[in-house]
Amino acid sequence: MSGPVVAGVDGSERSLAAAGWAAREALDRAVPLLLLHASPLLPPRISPVPGADAWENVGEQMIRETATDLADRHPGLEVTGEHVAAPADEALLTAARSAGLMVVGTRGWGGFDGLAVGSVALRVATAADCPVVTVPDRRAGEAPGADETAEEAGGAGEAGGAGEAGGAGGSDETGEEAGEVVAALDAHGRVAETADFAFRAALAREARLRVVHAWALPAAAPSAWMIGVLEEDRAMWEDQEGQAVSDALRPWRMRYPQVDVLPDVVLLNPAQALVRSSARALLLVVGRRTAERVAERHLGPVAHALLHHARCPVAVVPHPPR
């Protein structure tokens, strides 16, 4: 938590939205904000020296203007900018080694219509040493339209409550709604890093924390016999899972008594439950198993689905396998 917040910026609308989100987060944490722009050097055969210099100067000017704008909008925030002559993913992963948090837009200038997450954001979320927040196209925390809300609410009812809207209120001057922080939790796995990040985020935002613990039956399960077993034993299973969630959260409820916690235990595909819960969320927090070697780090299926389909910023928090 003590390291700076680092935001990857390339001048695109999405990256500037991520920089704005990062500025508010850095201010809440009382840490500096580092704006990082990276681009590899142009080969001499493609661009002569004056062209290469101009290429670098454009990046440096964009960083200076963005830093000045954020400093003006957030008095008291220490903002610095840096231009690095390196591929963007490599520069961001290097900066993540000493960062408390990395923030990137879901996409930069590259990609194509319909692409939800760009290659840089995906690699950084997969391999960074620190937690990574990806900020989607919609302004961080902005609520969907009325039609979208009604559609999500209808889907949530069919799903047994996994996508309940969470106490959304009016928007403040930043466009953020008084909604929920949503945390994906496997009560039978390691929860420490994910739970701590989620509780801190909810406390900083004075928001309710919805903890989603979801599980699905094996693909071969929906037979006539299994449906009968499910109806008979579902209440007992849900009680057992609810108790597991309660036990897993107890240390953090004691540490953060100010946070209003809503456990949400549901029999549903975890990614589906979390995407539905993200419709009115300020932030969705999910864990990622890490490894010593960067090449061995990867996203699980739930985190991968959330990066592509969540309707709010997603925080990917690395943690040891157990």
Side-chain angles (χ1 to χ4, degrees):
M1 292 291 291
S2 60
V5 173
V6 179
V9 182
D10 66 359
S12 66
E13 183 178 349
R14 298 176 184 87
S15 75
L16 295 178
W21 195 98
R24 297 192 294 274
E25 185 69 18
L27 201 59
D28 286 342
R29 294 179 176 221
V31 298
L33 170 64
L34 170 62
L35 302 177
L36 183 62
H37 176 264
S39 60
L41 291 173
L42 295 176
R45 66 179 181 276
I46 295 178
S47 174
V49 172
D53 290 342
W55 176 263
E56 182 174 341
N57 290 338
V58 167
E60 292 177 346
Q61 180 180 351
M62 181 270 297
I63 283 290
R64 285 195 302 269
E65 292 176 353
T66 305
T68 299
D69 176 62
L70 291 175
D72 289 343
R73 287 195 282 138
H74 302 280
L77 176 64
E78 179 186 341
V79 188
T80 57
E82 183 178 352
H83 171 83
V84 179
D89 54 349
E90 293 181 8
L92 291 168
L93 290 176
T94 298
R97 295 171 188 164
S98 58
L101 181 70
M102 175 72 64
V103 184
V104 294
T106 50
R107 279 176 52 193
W109 284 115
F112 50 85
D113 289 344
L115 180 67
V117 184
S119 59
V120 172
L122 199 58
R123 176 141 195 261
V124 172
T126 299
D129 290 326
C130 68
V132 174
V133 173
T134 61
V135 179
D137 291 357
R138 181 185 290 129
R139 290 177 64 191
E142 182 179 327
D147 292 341
E148 295 177 2
T149 303
E151 181 181 347
E152 292 292 343
E158 295 173 3
E164 292 177 325
S171 297
D172 63 17
E173 66 276 7
T174 66
E176 291 197 350
E177 276 211 351
E180 300 178 317
V181 171
V182 176
L185 182 75
D186 177 4
H188 304 291
R190 185 182 180 99
V191 303
E193 291 79 5
T194 306
D196 196 66
F197 190 100
F199 270 84
R200 286 174 179 264
L203 181 63
R205 290 161 178 77
E206 299 181 350
R208 180 171 67 179
L209 174 60
R210 178 184 293 268
V211 179
V212 178
H213 173 72
W215 78 102
L217 295 174
S223 64
W225 178 79
M226 278 302 299
I227 290 174
V229 172
L230 173 61
E231 293 302 322
E232 182 179 335
D233 295 342
R234 178 169 181 163
M236 181 185 67
W237 291 350
E238 289 182 345
D239 287 345
Q240 291 175 346
E241 295 303 308
Q243 185 60 52
V245 171
S246 178
D247 292 343
L249 292 178
R250 186 172 294 114
W252 284 271
R253 279 182 144 164
M254 295 175 64
R255 189 178 304 170
Y256 302 99
Q258 313 95 313
V259 176
D260 178 22
V261 183
L262 176 63
D264 192 356
V265 179
V266 60
L267 179 58
L268 188 68
N269 177 275
Q272 184 180 4
L274 289 160
V275 168
R276 289 181 173 177
S277 292
S278 74
R280 283 289 186 181
L282 298 176
L283 179 66
L284 196 159
V285 184
V286 63
R288 167 183 65 80
R289 293 186 182 91
T290 191
E292 190 68 27
R293 296 176 57 194
V294 172
E296 295 176 352
R297 299 174 186 177
H298 66 278
L299 289 174
V302 174
H304 191 274
L306 294 179
L307 287 177
H308 284 81
H309 300 290
R311 308 291 296 280
C312 66
V314 176
V316 181
V317 182
H319 62 77
R322 293 298 298 179

